[in-house]
Amino acid sequence: MRIDAKGKLFDALNAEISEHNGELEIDNCLGQRFIAAGASAKQVVINGVPGNALGAYLAGATIEVNGNAQDAVGDTMNAGKIVVRGNVGDAVGYAMRGGAIYISGNAGYRAGIHMKEYREKKPVIVIGGRAGSFLGEYQAGGIIIVLGLHKDGKPILGNFPCAGMHGGKIFLRGDAQRVVFPRQTTRRAASPSDMYEISSYLAEFCDLFKINVREFSRDDFTVVVPNSSNPYKQMYVAN
Amino acid sequence: MAINYIYPEFDVIRDPNRCITCRICERECSNGVHIYDADRKTLRADETKCVDCQRCVATCPTRALKIVKNTCALRENENWHENSIKEIFKQASSGGVLLSSMGAPNPLAVYWERILLNASQVTNPSIDPLREPMETRVFLGRKPSKITRRPDGTLDTTLAPQLELETPIMFSAMSYGSISYNAHASLARAAQELGIFYNTGEGGLHEDFYQYGAHTIVQVASGRFGVHEDYLNAGAAIEIKMGQGAKPGIGGHLPGAKIVGDVSKTRMIPEGSDAISPAPHHDVYSIEDLRQLVFSLKEATRYQKPVIVKVAAVHNIAAIASGIARSGADIIAIDGYRGGTGAAPTRIRDNVGIPIELALASVDKRLRDEGIRNDVSLVVGGSVRNAADVVKAIALGADACYIATAALIALGCHLCRTCQTGRCNWGIATQRAELVKRLDPDEGRRRLVNLLTAWRYEIMEIMGGMGINSIETLRGNRSMLRGVNMTSKELEILGIAHAGE
Amino acid sequence: MQREGQVRIPSGCAISAMISTTGARMTGETIVKSMIPMHDRSNGLGGGFAGYGIYPEYREFYALHVFFDDPSAQYECEKYLKEGYEIVKSESIPIRKIPEITDVPIIWRYFVAPLASVLSRLQLDEHEFVARTVTKINSQFRGAYVFSSGKNMGAFKAVGFPEDVGRFYRLEEYAGYSWTAHGRYPTNTPGWWGGAHPFALLDYSVVHNGEISSYDANRRFIEMFGYRCTLQTDTEVIAYIADYLLRRQGLTLEELASVIAAPFWSELDASESVESSSRAYLRKVFPSLLLTGPFSIVLGFTGGVMALNDRLKLRSMVTASNRDVHYIASEEAAIRAMDPDARNVYSPAGGEPVIIKVEEGAY
C-alpha cells in the first residue's frame, strides 16, 4: 500500500496510516509530524523528510526513512525499530525504553536522553556518524553506540556527554581521549565481552547500510558506564 | 565525634502512671524513638528521632503518651529565627541541599481566608439544598467555539472527549513510589465510588489498578516512567506534568531506596536505581513544542482522551495558560505555591511560585479577555483545604479543584513533613511492607468517600445559601465573593470587591 | 486588554531564511512556501518576512514601513518626518485582500533621506539620526509604528499565519537576494500588527524562535544606550543588541555571536588560544548581553545573514545549500519545501554562528 503525502496535513496522513496494518510506503513526505505514533503492527517506509516526533510511543512497528529525520525521533518509544538513512535532529530516543534506532548519519543534541531499560526491554541507538552535545544525558539504561563514520572532520561527540548518567552503556569507536566525561562515569577500553554484547547491533547496522562489518570490527571501542545508579544520593540533607 | 548542635525538636512525654509497658509504641515507631529498657522494665525515648507523626500517641491504649514542642529554645531573634539557625547547622555539618516534604509551612498570605462568601437575603431566595435539586456535575474538556448542524438540520452533537465529575473535586497526582500501594488503592477505589478521578502521578500505573481506568488520569512527566501504549490508553485522560506547585522549575528525584518490588516494575526501571525526572520535558523547550507533545499523545490515543496540561503557578502564569489553551490542551491544571510534595528542596518549596488564588484569578481573566475561556477547562490545586476553599475557587473561575494533601490527611497523614525518609508510620508515604499494611485500602476508601461526601453537602449548602442550584452558575461568579484585609491591588488581581462595597 | 509592549508576551515560533551568495534576486514566493510544512509551529497570531535587495531603484533611501491606526496618526507622523527628511516617495504598500487577514491598519511606506542641514546641526551620522527617529515615533506617536527602516530592504508583517501574510503582501511581486521569515506562536492574542516579527531597525532584522530567560537583564543593560524596548519582545532586544555591538561597538559578527551565546567557562578554561582569550575578554566585558534560555535566530543585514542557536541548543535549526543559494530553517522540511534538491544539510552546534555573505559588489 502506497500513500502520497503531498499536501496532506499530519492528522489526515496519520489517520490514513492508522487504518492500515502491514506494509505501507509513504511518498513525498514533508514535515508531517507524529508518523506511526504508538503503532504496533506495521512496517512503514517513508520517502522524504518526516516531521518531528516520528514513531513516538512506538509499540512494535518498523519505520524506515529514506532521507533525514527531524527532532524527537522515537520519543518514549517502547518497542519496534526505526531506521534512518540519513541524519536525525535533536533528542532522538528521548526516554526510550525498548526497540532499536539505527541512524546511518549524524545525530543532533541530546541523543538518547533519559533512555532506560527494564528487564528484557533494552533499547539501542546506533549512530553511524557523530553525536551532538549532551549525548546520553540522565541515561538510565540501554546502549548507545556512536561509530564516528562521518567525514567532516568534526569530533565524534559534542560537549557535556553523559551528564547525570546513572545506567546503561555508551560505546564510542576509537579511544575518545579528547572527550571530557563527568566524574560520575568511568571510561575504559571495550573488553571482548563488551564487544560481544554489541556484535549483533553492529552486524545489523552494517547489514542495513551496506557496510562491511569488518571495516571496524577490529577497531578499538571505548565504553562509558556510570559509577553509580544513585548519583545524587549525597546531595541532600533532611530538613 | 563532633558535637551535634541541634537539640531535639520534640519532647516525648510518657505518663509513668498510665504506661503499662505494653511496648506497642516501640513496635509502631519506624523511626526507633521508643526503646524498651529490659533492665528497668520501662520504655525510654530517643527524641532525636521523633518527627511528631503522632502514631504512638494514637495507638497507645492507655493514652500515656504526648508529643509536645520542646521548650528548649535558642535566644530569641526576630531576624535570625530558630529555623534559620538550625538550617545553617544542618548544612554546615552535611554540605547538603535541604530537603523537605509537603507544602510550604511558612505564614505567606492564604487568600482563601481573606475572601468571604455571599448569601441571599430578602431580594432573592436561598434554596434548601437537602430537599430541592442541587446540581454539582461538571464536564471538563474543550467545548466547540461554533455550533454546527448536520445536513438534516439537527445539531451535530459530537464533542471533544470530556471528563464527567459528580463533584468538582479530583484527587491530584501522587505517584506510586512516593506513596504506597494501599494509598493508591484507597484513592482509586474512592474515585470510582465517588464518580471522580484520581491521578497516577508520574510513576506509572500498577497492573492491579487498570480496572479503575475509567476513573484514572494517567500522567506523563519528564521522566516518562511507566509510559507506554497500554498505559496511555488505560486512563480516562492524560495529564502532561510540566510543573508542580511545591517545586516549580525543578525536576523530581525518587531515591533508589524506594525503587523496590512493584514500584520498580510499575515504573519499568531496575530496582535500586534512582528515578530522575528531568526539570524540563526534553521535547518541550518552547510553547510550540508543547503543541507537539499534546498532539503526539492525541495521535497515539486516536483523539479519544482529553489532555490536561499541569503547570505550577509562576509569575507569568496568565500568558503561559493562554499559550497552553492554544496548544490543543483540553484542560489546564494549575498548582499553587502551597502545593504539597513527597520531597522538594526547601529553598525551592518556600520561595518559588505564587499563591493559587492570584494565579487562578489572573488566568481566568486573561482567558476571558481573549475569548478562549470556553475552549479549555481550568482545574486548580495547591492547598485546597475544605469545601469553602472549593466554592471560592469555583467562584473565582475554576471548573474543578485538585486535592491531595487533604486526601492524605483523610487517610491518616498527620503532616509531620518527613515523607522523604520513606518511614511513614501511617503507611502512606512508604514502601516498607510492614508499614504499608497499616493502611487498609477499604478503610482508606471509606474515609475518602466520607470526606468528599461531606464536602459535597457543604458545597451544596453554601450554593443554596447564595440562591444557586447549579455549580455552573457559580463558576466565575465573582460577585459572590468579597475581600477583607487586602490591598486594593490584591482585590484588583482577584477581581473582587471589598466587603461592604 | 494589554497589547504588546504593555505586557511581556512570551512566544514560540518557526523561522526560515534563504540567501543567494551571488546576489541573484529571488521572488518572495519561495520563502513563503517554507512556512507551510511548519504550520503547527505558529498559531495564526503573527507572521512576517524581511527581504533584502527589494528596492534597488531607491537603494540610497531609507524605506520606512509604517502602520497607522487612523489618518490623523498618519498626518501627525508625516508632519514630523518632513521636519528632518526629504520624502522622495510616499505610497500605500500594495496588499491583496484575503479573508484570512482582517483588521488591516493603514500600511504605508516612505522612501526618505535625512536632510543634510539637520544632520550637521545635530552632529549625528545618518544611521543614528534615523534610529532616533524610529525610536521617537514608536515610543511617542500614538497610533503610528515604524516596522521597517533600512535601505534597499523591507519587513512585511501582520497578524495571521505566515503563509497568509506572504500572500497578503504579494511577496511574489518582490525580488531580493535574501529573505527571512517568521511564524509566531505567542501566548496570547496581541491583536496588534506591530507585535509580529521580524523586528527590524535600520538594516538589521531579526527573526527568532524561543523565549530567553535573561530578557530583563539584557533589556535594562541595552536601555542605558538610548534604546527603548517598547515591545518587550526578545526579538526587539536582540535587534538592539546587534545594532549596539555591530554598529556602535564595531564588533564582527563572530564576536557578536560570542557575546550573546558566550562559550561556557569550562570551554574557555580548557584552551589557551588567542581566540579563547578574546572570547573570554568579551564575556567579561559584556556579561549583561549574554542571552540564556532557548533561542534560534536569523539576523538579516545588508549583504548577508547570520544564524545562531543558544549555547545549549534548546531550539532546532538546520542549514543547507544548493549552488549559490543557502537555506536556514527551524525544520529541514521547510528547506525541502523551498528547494527539494538542497544539499549539505547541517545542524549547527549551540553557539556556532552560521554567517553567509553575498559576494562583495553583488548586492
Side-chain angles (χ1 to χ4, degrees):
Chain A
M1 160 102 195
R2 282 187 102 99
I3 299 175
D4 186 355
K6 199 175 181 87
K8 279 186 186 145
L9 295 176
F10 74 82
D11 44 355
L13 177 62
N14 289 321
E16 221 171 313
I17 295 169
S18 71
E19 279 166 23
H20 296 95
N21 283 339
E23 289 179 20
L24 286 172
E25 186 155 355
I26 300 167
D27 295 317
N28 300 311
C29 192
L30 188 66
Q32 289 92 347
R33 298 174 168 193
F34 322 120
I35 291 179
S40 49
K42 58 190 67 172
Q43 296 87 44
V44 185
V45 175
I46 298 168
N47 300 312
V49 179
N52 295 352
L54 169 73
Y57 321 102
L58 199 70
T62 302
I63 301 173
E64 211 171 323
V65 183
N66 293 313
N68 297 332
Q70 299 191 154
D71 295 343
V73 171
D75 192 328
T76 322
M77 164 174 176
N78 210 34
K81 184 158 80 177
I82 301 178
V83 177
V84 180
R85 299 181 189 282
N87 301 329
V88 297
D90 296 340
V92 58
Y94 170 29
M96 176 184 180
R97 191 191 301 106
I101 300 178
Y102 292 94
I103 302 146
S104 68
N106 305 328
Y109 272 48
R110 301 185 169 79
I113 180 170
H114 213 320
M115 194 179 182
K116 42 181 92 69
E117 68 185 51
Y118 181 66
R119 296 193 181 163
E120 75 290 350
K121 288 198 167 296
K122 197 163 196 170
V124 178
I125 301 178
V126 187
I127 298 163
R130 56 186 167 78
S133 297
F134 299 102
L135 175 78
E137 187 173 7
Y138 322 98
Q139 189 182 347
I143 293 174
I144 302 174
I145 304 168
V146 188
L147 295 174
L149 300 170
H150 60 291
K151 301 213 162 35
D152 60 7
K154 301 214 175 220
I156 188 166
L157 294 189
N159 297 323
F160 312 111
C162 311
M165 181 183 190
H166 56 291
K169 271 184 180 177
I170 290 181
F171 288 77
L172 305 171
R173 194 168 65 96
D175 62 12
Q177 276 309 318
R178 291 198 309 183
V179 184
V180 180
F181 292 101
R183 266 182 305 179
Q184 94 280 356
T185 58
T186 301
R187 162 224 314 253
R188 57 178 162 79
S191 67
S193 74
D194 289 325
M195 292 312 292
Y196 177 75
E197 192 179 0
I198 62 168
S199 57
S200 64
Y201 308 127
L202 292 180
E204 175 145 23
F205 180 87
C206 291
D207 189 44
L208 283 167
F209 302 120
K210 304 282 171 279
I211 292 167
N212 186 347
V213 72
R214 269 172 300 193
E215 242 182 62
F216 50 75
S217 63
R218 288 203 199 88
D219 291 355
D220 292 335
F221 276 77
T222 301
V223 178
V224 186
V225 290
N227 300 334
S228 158
S229 54
N230 315 102
Y232 301 105
K233 205 173 176 177
Q234 301 307 320
M235 226 181 99
Y236 297 103
V237 57
N239 185 33
Chain B
M1 207 178 116
I3 299 171
N4 182 3
Y5 288 8
I6 298 177
Y7 197 77
E9 204 173 341
F10 308 104
D11 245 348
V12 178
I13 304 206
R14 193 185 316 273
D15 184 341
N17 296 325
R18 289 183 175 223
C19 180
I20 53 173
T21 330
C22 66
R23 298 175 65 180
I24 288 177
C25 53
E26 186 191 5
R27 286 197 297 279
E28 290 291 325
C29 183
S30 64
N31 294 311
V33 171
H34 301 281
I35 306 153
Y36 181 64
D37 186 330
D39 295 340
R40 297 185 186 172
K41 299 207 167 28
T42 54
L43 281 143
R44 290 190 286 114
D46 178 359
E47 293 94 343
T48 61
K49 295 174 176 163
C50 180
V51 298
D52 194 17
C53 76
Q54 302 271 329
R55 179 77 189 180
C56 57
V57 174
T59 51
C60 176
T62 58
R63 290 185 301 283
L65 283 164
K66 265 199 296 194
I67 310 294
V68 297
K69 191 170 162 49
N70 197 314
T71 49
C72 173
L74 296 170
R75 186 162 183 179
E76 271 186 34
N77 187 322
E78 286 298 316
N79 178 34
W80 284 98
H81 298 282
E82 187 158 333
N83 258 348
S84 310
I85 296 169
K86 286 184 174 172
E87 284 171 351
I88 286 184
F89 287 159
K90 286 175 194 171
Q91 295 194 294
S93 66
S94 69
V97 169
L98 297 168
L99 196 66
S100 295
S101 303
M102 302 312 286
N106 46 11
L108 194 91
V110 178
Y111 287 96
W112 301 134
E113 293 172 0
R114 304 186 192 179
I115 297 174
L116 296 172
L117 294 163
N118 195 28
S120 300
Q121 297 290 294
V122 183
T123 55
N124 60 353
S126 46
I127 303 167
D128 177 348
L130 297 181
R131 281 155 287 265
E132 294 195 32
M134 187 61 66
E135 296 177 312
T136 57
R137 183 185 301 174
V138 295
F139 290 88
L140 305 181
R142 184 166 284 266
K143 312 296 188 289
S145 50
K146 194 155 177 15
I147 295 298
T148 54
R149 288 186 182 276
R150 299 194 189 94
D152 66 359
T154 57
L155 284 174
D156 180 357
T157 55
T158 47
L159 196 57
Q162 307 276 317
L163 289 182
E164 182 179 343
L165 289 173
E166 285 306 323
T167 310
I169 301 171
M170 303 189 286
F171 298 129
S172 187
M174 289 175 282
S175 71
Y176 175 43
S178 75
I179 61 170
S180 66
Y181 178 96
N182 284 354
H184 253 223
S186 306
L187 291 164
R189 292 176 197 183
Q192 185 174 51
E193 188 169 333
L194 289 160
I196 62 164
F197 301 86
Y198 85 108
N199 188 315
T200 61
E202 59 179 310
L205 179 63
H206 192 285
E207 58 189 12
D208 295 355
F209 302 148
Y210 273 71
Q211 58 174 308
Y212 306 107
H215 295 279
T216 305
I217 296 167
V218 296
Q219 201 181 58
V220 173
S222 63
R224 307 285 159 92
F225 297 111
V227 176
H228 51 80
E229 185 66 3
D230 293 344
Y231 172 79
L232 294 176
N233 283 297
I238 299 171
E239 179 171 274
I240 298 171
K241 178 196 176 183
M242 298 303 303
Q244 180 180 349
K247 41 182 170 178
I250 70 161
H253 176 204
L254 193 65
K258 288 192 185 179
I259 309 294
V260 292
D262 277 4
V263 174
S264 143
K265 190 171 157 193
T266 305
R267 292 200 176 217
M268 302 177 82
I269 51 171
E271 294 208 0
S273 165
D274 282 1
I276 296 171
S277 292
H281 286 252
H282 281 282
D283 44 9
V284 182
Y285 290 157
S286 179
I287 184 70
E288 75 274 15
D289 292 353
L290 176 66
R291 183 179 186 81
Q292 182 177 313
L293 181 57
V294 168
F295 277 92
S296 80
L297 291 165
K298 290 192 171 190
E299 282 285 342
T301 52
R302 300 311 309 156
Y303 299 86
Q304 299 299 307
K305 317 280 179 190
V307 172
I308 307 169
V309 174
K310 177 180 177 178
V311 285
V314 291
H315 299 180
N316 217 357
I317 188 66
I320 292 164
S322 165
I324 296 170
R326 291 168 202 284
S327 72
D330 301 278
I331 300 164
I332 303 174
I334 307 172
D335 196 14
Y337 164 84
R338 294 188 303 270
T341 174
T346 311
R347 295 291 170 250
I348 301 284
R349 184 193 67 175
D350 295 353
N351 292 283
V352 182
I354 64 171
I356 189 60
E357 301 92 325
L358 302 180
L360 163 61
S362 72
V363 166
D364 178 72
K365 176 173 188 299
R366 174 70 74 90
L367 297 181
R368 285 168 200 263
D369 285 349
E370 293 178 21
I372 55 174
R373 178 65 185 84
N374 209 35
D375 292 4
V376 285
S377 297
L378 212 50
V379 179
V380 298
S383 205
V384 172
R385 303 158 305 167
N386 53 50
D389 290 356
V390 173
V391 169
K392 290 168 188 174
I394 290 172
L396 278 175
D399 289 271
C401 289
Y402 257 150
I403 63 165
T405 301
L408 295 189
I409 294 172
L411 292 175
C413 168
H414 280 56
L415 273 185
C416 71
R417 310 202 305 258
T418 51
C419 316
Q420 77 271 16
T421 65
R423 288 193 297 267
C424 176
N425 277 321
W426 296 95
I428 299 168
T430 179
Q431 300 305 325
R432 296 186 179 194
E434 75 278 13
L435 299 177
V436 173
K437 73 178 183 203
R438 292 179 182 179
L439 177 63
D440 171 359
D442 269 317
E443 173 65 6
R445 172 195 56 81
R446 193 183 66 80
R447 295 180 63 88
L448 289 167
V449 170
N450 279 348
L451 177 74
L452 288 204
T453 305
W455 283 22
R456 181 158 176 267
Y457 282 132
E458 290 176 334
I459 291 168
M460 294 195 298
E461 198 125 45
I462 296 170
M463 283 166 52
M466 293 169 171
I468 284 174
N469 62 12
S470 167
I471 196 107
E472 294 107 303
T473 57
L474 177 63
R475 194 186 66 193
N477 194 340
R478 296 192 188 174
S479 65
M480 291 297 161
L481 306 174
R482 288 291 187 275
V484 289
N485 295 328
M486 276 195 260
T487 63
S488 49
K489 188 73 187 176
E490 288 167 318
L491 292 165
E492 178 194 324
I493 293 167
L494 289 167
I496 63 175
H498 198 278
E501 277 187 294
Chain C
M1 188 167 59
Q2 292 180 309
R3 79 176 188 187
E4 205 94 34
Q6 294 161 317
V7 61
R8 178 162 153 78
I9 301 167
S11 55
C13 307
I15 60 176
S16 71
M18 62 189 296
I19 179 168
S20 161
T21 53
T22 59
R25 292 170 70 215
M26 306 162 290
T27 75
E29 198 178 351
T30 312
I31 192 80
V32 175
K33 270 195 221 160
S34 73
M35 301 313 278
I36 295 169
M38 299 196 291
H39 183 84
D40 282 291
R41 301 181 75 96
S42 315
N43 65 359
L45 296 179
F49 301 84
Y52 287 81
I54 58 170
Y55 296 135
E57 60 277 33
Y58 293 103
R59 61 188 312 146
E60 300 306 322
F61 299 91
Y62 290 91
L64 304 183
H65 291 187
V66 195
F67 293 133
F68 296 111
D69 288 354
D70 52 60
S72 68
Q74 181 168 13
Y75 174 79
E76 290 299 323
C77 184
E78 285 183 4
K79 202 167 81 178
Y80 170 69
L81 278 178
K82 283 172 189 160
E83 291 168 12
Y85 294 86
E86 177 196 0
I87 302 177
V88 299
K89 193 173 175 68
S90 159
E91 63 183 358
S92 78
I93 294 182
I95 57 158
R96 177 183 283 128
K97 287 213 161 78
I98 54 173
E100 291 85 356
I101 306 283
T102 54
D103 298 325
V104 180
I106 299 168
I107 312 171
W108 214 261
R109 76 181 154 213
Y110 304 90
F111 292 98
V112 303
L115 296 171
S117 56
V118 176
L119 291 181
S120 69
R121 175 165 52 83
L122 295 173
Q123 292 189 307
L124 286 177
D125 76 33
E126 60 171 31
H127 280 333
E128 185 63 30
F129 179 66
V130 174
R132 289 190 188 185
T133 302
V134 172
T135 305
K136 175 149 184 178
I137 293 173
N138 290 352
S139 58
Q140 293 177 25
F141 280 70
R142 183 187 292 271
Y145 186 78
V146 182
F147 62 99
S148 186
S149 52
K151 284 182 175 174
N152 199 13
M153 63 80 66
F156 302 88
K157 58 193 191 180
V159 173
F161 279 102
E163 54 271 31
D164 299 327
V165 174
R167 276 199 302 139
F168 172 81
Y169 278 109
R170 305 159 72 137
L171 293 187
E172 72 280 3
E173 296 171 7
Y174 295 81
Y177 60 81
S178 96
W179 288 94
T180 65
H182 188 263
R184 193 165 186 235
Y185 199 127
T187 49
N188 84 339
T189 323
W192 182 50
W193 292 38
H197 301 181
F199 181 81
L201 176 70
L202 300 175
D203 296 349
Y204 298 119
S205 68
V206 176
V207 291
H208 157 259
N209 169 210
E211 185 201 344
I212 55 175
S213 39
S214 55
Y215 174 78
D216 225 31
N218 307 135
R219 177 189 68 81
R220 297 184 66 234
F221 184 80
I222 202 72
E223 286 197 343
M224 291 196 293
F225 310 108
Y227 300 96
R228 286 291 164 266
C229 293
T230 55
L231 297 178
Q232 297 196 34
T233 60
D234 297 348
T235 314
E236 178 190 44
V237 81
I238 294 168
Y240 292 154
I241 291 171
D243 183 63
Y244 173 71
L245 291 177
L246 298 174
R247 183 171 65 86
R248 290 168 63 175
Q249 291 284 359
L251 295 194
T252 65
L253 289 163
E254 288 84 355
E255 287 162 348
L256 164 71
S258 190
V259 170
I260 65 178
F264 288 94
W265 287 118
S266 60
E267 207 178 308
L268 295 172
D269 291 347
S271 163
E272 286 177 4
S273 67
V274 175
E275 197 204 336
S276 285
S277 62
S278 40
R279 296 181 87 186
Y281 167 80
L282 287 173
R283 190 164 175 190
K284 288 173 203 160
V285 174
F286 298 115
S288 299
L289 295 181
L290 171 66
L291 307 181
T292 57
F295 68 84
S296 62
I297 56 169
V298 176
L299 172 70
F301 50 90
T302 295
V305 295
M306 177 177 83
L308 183 67
N309 266 131
D310 66 270
R311 58 199 195 140
L312 286 176
K313 194 169 188 284
L314 299 167
R315 303 310 306 143
S316 57
M317 186 162 68
V318 182
T319 65
S321 63
N322 192 356
R323 288 192 281 275
D324 64 312
V325 185
H326 291 250
Y327 303 95
I328 300 161
S330 304
E331 298 185 18
E332 185 178 335
I335 294 177
R336 298 270 164 224
M338 293 188 274
D339 182 350
D341 302 320
R343 286 171 297 170
N344 307 317
V345 175
Y346 178 68
S347 304
E352 175 192 0
V354 174
I355 298 164
I356 301 154
K357 288 188 175 172
V358 181
E359 291 158 18
E360 226 23 77
Y363 56 89

